């Protein structure tokens, strides 16, 4: 029998590194992986998650037909016609009874740009202002703080450029586990003599790379960053030329920093003052320094201020706008940058047009053939509260799992149970899909064509390699047909058509046409305003994106005098290398699950000793939000008084607080505190 | 890959981030069993020029081809002597369940003249000791746990077919596993040593730490 075999080059569906690999398809089925060395970021490499692609595509538990769940909980298979008609009529009904703003739309950081663009367009043409996605839970502080400081919220330099840095400050990022391919470039820099500093309350594979590791007390990142800046000022190491010629607002920050007591700060942060001094000197005096940051900075009550402090530090020393010098907020999802660019956010339309900027908003409306569009809506984190208050009656969830990814799962569960309509469009029956009235089976990334924007602003085309199984359909097909039924448009668009519309609506995607990126292995990096533009790997080399082309310093609002204390234990939630976010994918893949099959809480040996807890025993973890049971791992990789739990397992977010950073509306996942209770026989 | 005989797979333990991607890539390239294991850093066959494992094997089931040492599955009896012969612990073991086809003897179909009866073959009243495979009439489906002995083959098939690098080196996200010509690697190491000396020396001269 002839085996029909071919290989299609696709973009990895997992993280924001955006690696490319060859998917081998035999007789229409995923059969293997081919490593393609000519990708600029990955050089053909693929972390364990990427290596699970075949297992993922062929998974037997994939959703392959639409499902209707009755109020008594019974489910039955329905046709696509039935499913879409039901959803459309229910949405119309709710709009009539309660208004379009009683409907929320959760976009996905995993679907293509074309799909997210169409999704937020559907929501807004339908009349709802509530479109948001999981960027809210991770880098919303970066979008807010960096847009304010520089005019744009994205990472400033490409990942391979890290090897050109002479000093790399890694703060709140564990890229060795979460963006593994970044490790190569940081190690290359180190091989060339760069000084590597890691700041993290935990010891991780990433901190092992560093020359010095500042194992800070949880929640003291803001104090540390400002202490570093204060020391730089004190030693006269600031880049005054840069400050004068390219920034504004320095005086206010300078006044605040001059009063900073660095000795006291070192005590509060819990690191030797010498380490702060070394960090300050190395970062400031190196010819080109980079700051890599991630959730350790953003997922706090003051996440936006911490991200703003990172921006301040870079501006203070002029380490931005050239090779080896920049800010690297590593975006998590394969297409979270794209989802943000496409305006799947409550305060933004495509291209970061503010929804409350009436004039600009109406220009977009005109392009879409109408007078106006809704203004700003509620974020992912606020939508749950609005459901509980009875203000939102319906929720359409595309490729998201809020029950596990949102903080305080008990509230999320309560809210979802209250909805008149919950539609979940996904690849597996996730914890959230279990609550849905209608479950729509979606195709996986390799089963549809589209563009995806990685953390470097690199837009890459991922072509369709094989057909989705049975009745699963691409998100584009589903949203496109739903839009038709709702009377919002006449035809079902193809991905290429939508990208062409994006070229018109989003100026910095202007030159990223389907023709150009379909034949490019490395894609195009925005801003790319026209078809002859080569793309912009390094931002701000000449001017910032603010009106007066200067960057601005921002004075953080946090109180530096009193750091938060977490009693009895600070609870830090995070990730491990073989799992991915809510675990809805990776917990189903044996090749990954075998390495980390269950939830484990990591505790310091002294704390374990004091509580009489042994390695491998079970404990109860209690916070104001809930209590869960977990196995314990005793290890000095955490500080005394601090414990760590990965959130890939549903138990973890049952515990986390809902308190939001006021500017970015991100939950303070890393500001939790908990009690540990032994489970005695 | 110019001359396959002269390239070796090198690991740099300082670059290993412990992600297990190499194990998964090796497993997917070798029918579900990995020949590499991350134990603080990846460990696997060195493809020695005078291999102790080849000397130890009483069935000549290990041979050299194109500079790579290959374990021939069809000749291997999983006796494990090579496991002890290897100074690196690079020959690995995995317990697998082997299905025994109905009508066949319990052990693998390895042609051998003086077959002693396997202890697992059931004795029934109707059964008499058999000498030939054709006479075995036992049709019940049977399973057997065996400890499979396996080792890195340098991804020779991949290299011979398409010049591709070994799967572990291809997949390693941090560049900890590299496939290099050994002469080149030797020279690069000397260059690196010089660089390190130079950086340290200059730094000391300037009075700053590197």
């Amino acid at each position: 029998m002839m085996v029909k075999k071919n290989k299609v080059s696709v973009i990895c569906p997992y993280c924001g590194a955006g690696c490319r690999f060859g998917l081998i398809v035999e007789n229409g089925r995923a059969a293997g992986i081919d490593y393609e060395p000519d990708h600029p970021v990955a050089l053909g490499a693929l972390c364990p998650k990427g290596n699970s692609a075949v297992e993922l595509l062929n998974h037997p538990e994939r959703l392959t037909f639409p499902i209707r769940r009755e109020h008594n909980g019974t489910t039955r298979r329905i046709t696509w016609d039935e499913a879409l008609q039901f959803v459309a009529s229910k949405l119309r009904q709710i709009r009539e009874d309660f208004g379009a703003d009683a409907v929320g739309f959760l976009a996905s950081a995993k679907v293509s740009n074309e799909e997210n663009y169409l999704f937020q367009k559907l929501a807004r043409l339908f009349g709802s202002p509530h479109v948001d996605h999981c960027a809210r839970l991770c880098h919303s502080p970066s979008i807010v703080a960096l847009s304010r400081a520089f005019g744009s919220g994205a990472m400033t330099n490409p990942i391979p450029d890290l090897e050109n840095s002479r000093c790399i400050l890694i703060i709140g990022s564990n890229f060795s586990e979460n963006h593994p391919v970044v490790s190569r470039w940081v190690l290359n820099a180190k091989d060339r003599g760069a000084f590597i500093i890691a700041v993290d309350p935990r010891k991780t594979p990433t901190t092992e790379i560093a020359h010095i590791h500042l194992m800070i007390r949880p929640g003291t990142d803001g104090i540390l960053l400002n202490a570093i800046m204060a020391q730089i000022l004190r030693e006269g190491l600031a880049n005054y030329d840069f400050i004068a010629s390219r920034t504004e607002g320095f005086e206010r920050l300078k006044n605040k920093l001059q009063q900073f007591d660095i000795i006291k700060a070192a005590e509060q942060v819990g690191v030797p003052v010498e380490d702060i001094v070394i960090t300050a000197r190395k970062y400031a005096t190196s010819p080109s320094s980079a700051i890599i940051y991630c959730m350790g900075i953003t997922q706090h009550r003051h996440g936006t201020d911490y991200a703003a402090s990172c921006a301040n530090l870079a501006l203070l020393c002029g380490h931005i706008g050239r090779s080896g010098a920049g800010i690297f907020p590593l975006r998590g999802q394969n297409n979270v940058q794209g989802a943000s660019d496409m305006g799947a956010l409550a305060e933004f339309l495509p291209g970061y047009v503010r929804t409350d900027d009436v004039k600009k908003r109406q220009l977009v409306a005109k392009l879409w053939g109408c007078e106006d569009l809704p203004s700003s809506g509620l974020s992912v984190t606020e939508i749950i509260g609005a459901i509980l208050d009875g203000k939102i009656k319906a929720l359409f969830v595309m490729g998201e799992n809020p029950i596990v990814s949102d903080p305080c799962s008990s509230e999320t569960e309560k809210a979802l149970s209250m909805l008149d309509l919950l539609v979940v469009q996904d690849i597996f029956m996730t914890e959230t899909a279990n609550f849905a009235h209608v479950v729509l089976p979606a195709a996986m990334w390799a089963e549809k064509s589209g563009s995806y924007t990685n953390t470097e602003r690199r837009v890459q085309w991922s072509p369709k390699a094989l057909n989705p199984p049975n009745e699963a359909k691409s998100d584009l097909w589903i949203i496109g047909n739903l839009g038709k039924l709702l009377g919002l448009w006449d035809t079902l668009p193809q991905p290429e058509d939508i990208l062409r519309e994006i070229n018109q609506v989003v100026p910095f995607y202007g030159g990223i046409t389907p023709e150009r990126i379909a034949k490019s292995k490395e894609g195009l990096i925005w801003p790319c305003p026209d078809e002859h533009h080569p793309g912009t790997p390094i931002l701000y080399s000449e001017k910032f994106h603010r009106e007066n082309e200067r960057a601005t310093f921002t004075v953080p609002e946090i109180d530096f005098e009193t750091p938060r204390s977490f009693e009895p234990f600070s609870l830090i939630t995070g990730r491990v290398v073989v799992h991915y976010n809510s675990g809805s994918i990776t917990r189903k893949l044996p090749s990954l699950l075998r390495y980390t099959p269950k939830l484990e809480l990591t505790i310091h040996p002294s704390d374990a000793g004091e509580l009489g807890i042994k390695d491998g025993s079970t404990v109860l973890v209690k916070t104001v939000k809930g209590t869960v049971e977990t196995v314990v791992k005793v290890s000095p990789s955490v500080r005394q008084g601090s414990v760590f739990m990965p959130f890939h397992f549903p138990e973890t977010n049952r515990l986390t607080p809902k308190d939001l950073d006021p500017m970015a509306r991100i939950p303070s996942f890393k500001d939790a505190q908990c009690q540990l209770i032994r489970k005695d026989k | 890959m110019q001359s396959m005989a002269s390239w070796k797979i090198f690991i740099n333990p300082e670059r290993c981030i412990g992600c297990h991607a190499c194990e998964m890539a090796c497993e997917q390239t070798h029918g579900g069993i990995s020949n590499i294991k991350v134990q603080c850093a990846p460990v696997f066959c060195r493809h020695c020029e005078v291999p102790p494992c080849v000397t130890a094997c009483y069935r000549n089931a290990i041979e050299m081809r194109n500079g790579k040492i290959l374990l021939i599955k069809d000749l291997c009896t999983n006796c494990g002597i090579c496991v002890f012969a290897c100074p690196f612990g690079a020959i690995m073991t995995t317990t697998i369940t082997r299905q025994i086809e109905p009508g066949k003897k319990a052990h693998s179909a390895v042609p051998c003249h003086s077959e002693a009866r396997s202890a697992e073959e059931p004795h029934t009243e109707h059964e008499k000791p058999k000498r030939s495979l054709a006479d075995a009439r036992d049709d019940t489906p049977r399973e057997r746990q065996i400890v499979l002995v396996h080792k890195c083959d340098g991804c020779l098939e991949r290299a011979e077919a398409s010049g591709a690098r070994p799967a572990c080196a291809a997949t390693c996200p941090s560049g900890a596993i590299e496939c290099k010509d050994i002469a080149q690697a030797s020279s690069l190491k000397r260059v690196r040593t010089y660089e390190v000396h130079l950086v340290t020396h200059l730094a000391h001269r300037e009075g700053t730490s590197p």
Side-chain angles (χ1 to χ4, degrees):
Chain A
M1 190 185 79
M2 267 284 282
V3 172
K4 197 161 160 250
K5 180 171 167 167
N6 72 326
K7 186 183 78 157
V8 182
S9 181
V10 299
I11 297 296
C12 184
Y14 284 102
C15 88
C19 304
R20 197 180 267 285
F21 62 90
L23 185 68
I24 298 167
V25 179
E26 269 172 31
N27 288 333
R29 209 173 137 81
I33 290 172
D34 196 39
Y35 305 103
E36 300 183 340
D38 52 0
H39 189 266
V41 179
L43 302 186
L46 215 53
C47 78
K49 296 176 283 273
N51 268 299
S52 71
V54 172
E55 199 177 34
L56 175 57
L57 284 163
N58 295 329
H59 202 281
E61 286 174 38
R62 286 188 62 173
L63 295 172
T64 59
F65 48 78
I67 291 170
R68 174 96 171 82
R69 183 178 280 107
E70 308 291 352
H71 282 279
N72 60 13
T74 55
T75 57
R76 61 188 170 90
R77 176 178 182 163
I78 54 176
T79 63
W80 269 111
D81 261 341
E82 231 186 295
L84 291 174
Q85 294 284 359
F86 177 77
V87 173
S89 66
K90 213 49 184 144
L91 283 175
R92 268 203 220 92
Q93 177 81 54
I94 290 171
R95 179 171 60 181
E96 213 180 280
D97 295 342
F98 303 103
D101 57 358
V103 183
F105 291 86
L106 295 197
S108 175
K110 299 205 83 57
V111 304
S112 69
N113 288 324
E114 294 74 25
E115 288 165 334
N116 269 322
Y117 178 86
L118 202 63
F119 187 80
Q120 59 81 38
K121 188 176 178 185
L122 182 146
R124 279 146 177 164
L125 288 178
F126 176 79
S128 169
H130 311 304
V131 192
D132 208 39
H133 70 280
C134 64
R136 190 66 51 189
L137 308 175
C138 71
H139 269 291
S140 46
S142 303
I143 300 177
V144 174
L146 302 186
S147 293
R148 203 173 49 191
F150 308 134
S152 192
M155 188 155 123
T156 62
N157 299 40
I159 291 170
D161 189 50
L162 281 165
E163 74 175 359
N164 300 318
S165 291
R166 304 295 300 155
C167 174
I168 301 179
L169 171 60
I170 306 161
I171 177 163
S173 161
N174 184 9
F175 56 74
S176 288
E177 292 198 77
N178 305 316
H179 297 89
V181 295
V182 171
S183 314
R184 182 200 303 275
W185 305 100
V186 174
L187 287 161
N188 288 356
K190 190 179 174 189
D191 277 350
R192 292 174 175 190
F195 191 78
I196 318 289
I197 306 150
V199 178
D200 195 318
R202 298 168 55 216
K203 269 211 241 301
T204 65
T206 306
T207 63
E208 293 299 300
I209 294 177
H211 291 102
I212 57 171
H213 171 203
L214 280 70
M215 201 164 170
I216 61 173
R217 201 165 271 132
T220 58
D221 311 72
I223 300 176
L224 175 70
L225 283 164
N226 287 280
I228 294 170
M229 287 191 274
Q231 187 61 21
I232 289 172
L233 268 183
R234 198 150 296 150
E235 297 201 19
L237 298 173
N239 187 335
Y240 289 102
D241 278 340
F242 183 89
I243 293 171
S245 60
R246 300 203 53 196
T247 75
E248 62 186 12
F250 178 57
E251 289 306 308
R252 277 189 65 217
L253 179 67
K254 183 170 152 201
N255 291 332
K256 190 128 192 209
L257 290 176
Q258 272 168 343
Q259 298 149 34
F260 215 75
D261 181 346
I262 180 173
I263 310 267
K264 181 169 167 207
E267 218 179 275
Q268 290 171 329
V269 172
V271 301
V273 70
E274 300 80 57
D275 282 358
I276 300 183
V277 174
I278 291 175
T279 302
R281 285 186 189 152
K282 290 287 183 188
Y283 179 83
T285 61
S286 110
S288 52
S289 302
I291 300 174
I292 300 177
Y293 81 83
C294 212
M295 303 294 94
I297 281 288
T298 58
Q299 286 178 335
H300 292 276
R301 216 161 260 118
H302 297 290
T304 310
D305 281 331
Y306 294 171
S309 300
C310 290
N312 284 344
L313 177 55
L315 291 173
L316 185 70
C317 303
H319 283 311
I320 190 162
R322 52 202 164 77
S323 179
I327 295 201
F328 297 74
L330 295 172
R331 304 300 295 264
Q333 294 269 23
N334 60 320
N335 205 14
V336 65
Q337 181 67 55
S340 308
D341 298 343
M342 296 300 111
L345 287 167
E347 67 268 66
F348 293 116
L349 284 168
Y352 298 103
V353 169
R354 293 200 63 90
T355 39
D356 55 14
D357 181 336
V358 182
K359 225 166 99 183
K360 292 210 179 112
R361 183 180 79 215
Q362 287 177 346
L363 286 173
V364 178
K366 204 159 144 216
L367 282 165
W368 289 356
C370 57
E371 293 285 315
D372 200 359
L373 294 168
S375 183
S376 308
L378 296 173
S379 66
V380 155
T381 38
E382 294 160 318
I383 283 176
I384 301 297
I387 299 173
L388 292 170
D389 290 340
K391 298 211 178 76
I392 290 193
K393 303 287 185 190
L395 194 62
F396 193 114
V397 178
M398 173 174 73
E400 294 264 311
N401 192 10
I403 297 255
V404 183
S405 328
D406 281 20
C408 190
S409 316
S410 56
E411 274 189 36
T412 318
E413 279 170 0
K414 189 160 160 223
L416 296 188
S417 326
M418 285 172 66
L419 289 166
D420 289 350
L421 176 68
L422 174 64
V423 184
V424 172
Q425 184 170 311
D426 216 312
I427 56 177
F428 289 120
M429 188 63 82
T430 62
E431 287 83 357
T432 304
N434 275 323
F435 282 77
H437 300 103
V438 181
V439 181
L440 304 174
M444 288 190 181
W445 89 104
E447 297 158 354
K448 51 188 181 165
S449 294
S451 71
Y452 297 81
T453 308
N454 80 348
T455 183
E456 309 166 292
R457 296 169 279 113
R458 184 189 302 269
V459 185
Q460 304 182 95
W461 188 259
S462 189
K464 178 173 173 174
L466 68 173
N467 287 323
N470 204 355
E471 291 188 67
K473 298 279 184 217
S474 72
D475 301 86
L476 192 81
W477 185 96
I478 304 171
I479 302 305
N481 278 300
L482 185 61
K484 268 172 78 179
L485 281 177
L486 287 170
L488 305 175
W489 45 71
D490 302 317
T491 53
L492 180 65
Q494 289 307 298
E496 290 83 353
D497 302 325
I498 304 181
L499 183 52
R500 279 190 205 98
E501 184 175 321
I502 294 169
N503 296 147
Q504 303 296 315
V505 178
V506 182
F508 51 93
Y509 273 66
I512 303 181
T513 61
E515 292 74 32
R516 285 182 85 190
I517 55 171
K519 51 179 197 268
S520 161
K521 274 264 157 146
E522 56 210 44
L524 282 165
I525 300 183
W526 67 252
C528 180
D530 63 68
E531 289 196 52
H532 303 288
H533 199 280
T536 317
I538 297 180
L539 289 179
Y540 315 134
S541 47
E542 272 160 42
K543 49 187 173 148
F544 289 93
H545 290 176
R546 292 174 71 244
E547 284 244 358
N548 62 4
E549 300 182 357
R550 284 177 178 253
T552 180
F553 287 91
T554 35
V555 180
E557 293 169 27
I558 41 178
D559 168 16
F560 294 134
E561 306 311 304
T562 34
R564 273 210 66 185
S565 73
F566 302 97
E567 298 298 332
F569 287 101
S570 137
L571 168 61
I572 298 176
T573 65
R575 298 166 163 87
V576 299
V577 70
V578 291
H579 278 294
Y580 192 74
N581 285 356
S582 81
S584 62
I585 294 176
T586 53
R587 275 181 286 123
K588 290 197 183 297
L589 303 179
S591 68
L592 295 173
L593 188 65
R594 63 185 157 166
Y595 293 112
T596 306
K598 56 186 191 302
L599 175 61
E600 274 181 337
L601 173 146
T602 305
I603 184 171
H604 191 275
S606 311
D607 292 330
E610 233 173 282
L611 289 170
I613 294 173
K614 295 230 279 268
D615 187 67
S617 63
T618 312
V619 294
L620 292 176
V621 189
K622 185 163 180 229
T623 68
V624 296
K625 295 299 184 184
T627 305
V628 306
E629 198 176 287
T630 176
V631 172
V632 160
K633 181 164 82 173
V634 178
S635 158
S637 65
V638 288
R639 283 179 62 103
Q640 272 181 268
S642 178
V643 295
F644 173 77
M645 289 172 79
F647 84 101
H648 311 297
F649 301 88
E651 292 89 324
T652 302
N653 271 330
R654 301 207 78 85
L655 304 171
T656 43
K658 280 213 94 154
D659 317 37
L660 305 179
D661 167 294
M663 288 177 276
R665 299 180 271 178
I666 190 173
S668 48
F669 290 108
K670 291 191 170 27
D671 283 346
Q673 61 186 6
C674 70
Q675 242 189 308
L676 294 183
I677 304 160
R678 253 170 67 176
K679 272 201 89 183
D680 281 309
K681 310 257 156 79
Chain B
M1 205 89 59
Q2 308 96 314
S3 164
M4 280 179 250
S6 64
W7 55 256
K8 293 274 186 192
I9 308 174
F10 291 93
I11 52 150
N12 182 347
E14 280 173 24
R15 279 198 172 229
C16 179
I17 53 178
C19 73
H20 303 286
C22 53
E23 293 175 0
M24 289 178 67
C26 183
E27 178 178 78
Q28 287 174 56
T29 314
H30 295 90
I33 296 182
S34 173
N35 296 315
I36 186 174
K37 193 154 173 71
V38 177
Q39 220 139 343
C40 301
V43 178
F44 49 91
C45 175
R46 302 308 315 146
H47 300 283
C48 311
E49 202 183 289
V50 184
C53 57
V54 171
T55 314
C57 181
Y58 74 98
R59 296 199 113 232
N60 296 328
I62 311 183
E63 67 175 24
M64 184 190 283
R65 191 170 93 228
N66 251 326
K68 300 291 160 287
I69 308 300
L70 309 171
L71 194 154
I72 314 221
K73 286 210 186 86
D74 290 340
L75 291 174
C76 175
T77 64
N78 296 309
C79 73
I81 287 185
C82 55
V83 173
F84 295 102
C86 175
F88 303 104
I91 301 192
M92 302 180 172
T93 61
T94 300
T95 307
I96 61 167
T97 307
R98 202 163 249 173
Q99 304 292 334
I100 302 144
E101 282 172 73
K104 290 261 191 278
K105 284 198 174 169
H107 45 74
S108 51
V110 175
C112 180
H113 298 297
S114 54
E115 298 271 278
R117 188 197 182 88
S118 163
E120 288 135 285
E121 284 182 301
H123 282 269
T124 66
E125 288 150 323
H126 307 289
E127 244 192 329
K128 291 189 199 121
K130 301 279 186 293
R131 285 329 275 313
S132 75
L133 293 171
D135 289 340
R137 287 273 181 264
D138 192 337
D139 284 336
T140 53
R142 282 173 292 156
E143 278 181 355
R144 195 179 146 198
Q145 297 277 89
I146 68 157
V147 179
L148 182 76
V149 169
H150 56 98
K151 67 172 225 42
C152 166
D153 59 2
C155 273
L156 192 59
E157 256 180 62
R158 269 169 69 93
E160 285 171 340
S162 59
R165 288 173 297 166
C168 56
T171 202
C172 179
S174 61
I177 306 179
E178 286 183 294
C179 189
K180 290 198 273 234
D181 176 87
I182 191 168
Q184 225 175 51
S186 168
S187 157
L188 280 170
K189 275 236 150 196
R190 284 189 291 284
V191 170
R192 178 73 195 139
T193 307
Y194 165 74
E195 279 176 352
V196 172
H197 277 325
L198 183 66
V199 170
T200 322
H201 172 71
L202 274 178
H204 282 317
R205 217 177 60 185
E206 305 300 320
T208 60
S209 45

